[in-house]
Amino acid sequence: MLVRIVKMSFEPSKIEEFLTNFEIVKDKIRTFEGCNFLELYRDQNNTNIFFTYSYWNSENDLNNYRHSKLFKGIWAETKPKFNAKPEAWSVDKIASLK
């Protein structure tokens, strides 16, 4: 399993537009083949910073999503709202406690 973490920083005036669009596309992302989990987080102190955490069966599944029509549409809608370059990490989960 691959965990993908993406940090996004938005223009404050564009946050509501981002959140509205996320509501529309979140189920499409989550049900994309190979995606098993999706969450959106917001920084408590810097409220224009958001993170997505998603779990993918494999790097190939993540790459299929990143090259999909769905992703390209989401990216085209989201990218103009950033006020800093997004950052992304693909990591392996080492431990999980519940």
Side-chain angles (χ1 to χ4, degrees):
M1 177 181 58
L2 179 147
V3 179
R4 183 71 167 182
I5 304 165
V6 180
K7 177 184 177 185
M8 302 169 288
S9 181
F10 293 95
E11 287 291 337
S13 64
K14 301 294 185 180
I15 291 171
E16 287 308 314
E17 290 177 42
F18 164 71
L19 290 172
T20 297
N21 190 57
F22 188 81
E23 277 299 310
I24 294 167
V25 300
K26 67 183 182 181
D27 290 324
K28 294 174 185 173
I29 298 169
R30 172 55 190 86
T31 59
F32 196 90
E33 185 175 346
C35 182
N36 298 304
F37 180 81
L38 175 65
E39 287 187 326
L40 177 67
Y41 301 104
R42 187 177 199 172
D43 189 282
Q44 290 184 345
N45 297 311
N46 298 308
T47 57
N48 63 311
I49 296 176
F50 292 80
F51 298 86
T52 56
Y53 277 65
S54 54
Y55 294 177
W56 296 86
N57 289 335
S58 68
E59 185 175 2
N60 189 56
D61 287 326
L62 173 61
N63 287 333
N64 286 340
Y65 167 67
R66 292 180 62 222
H67 294 101
S68 71
K69 183 178 178 180
L70 173 63
F71 177 81
K72 289 176 183 174
I74 293 168
W75 190 249
E77 176 71 25
T78 305
K79 187 176 179 180
K81 296 172 179 51
F82 293 142
N83 67 359
K85 184 177 179 183
E87 298 178 65
W89 300 268
S90 293
V91 299
D92 294 317
K93 184 187 299 189
I94 303 300
S96 180
L97 306 173
K98 293 185 181 187

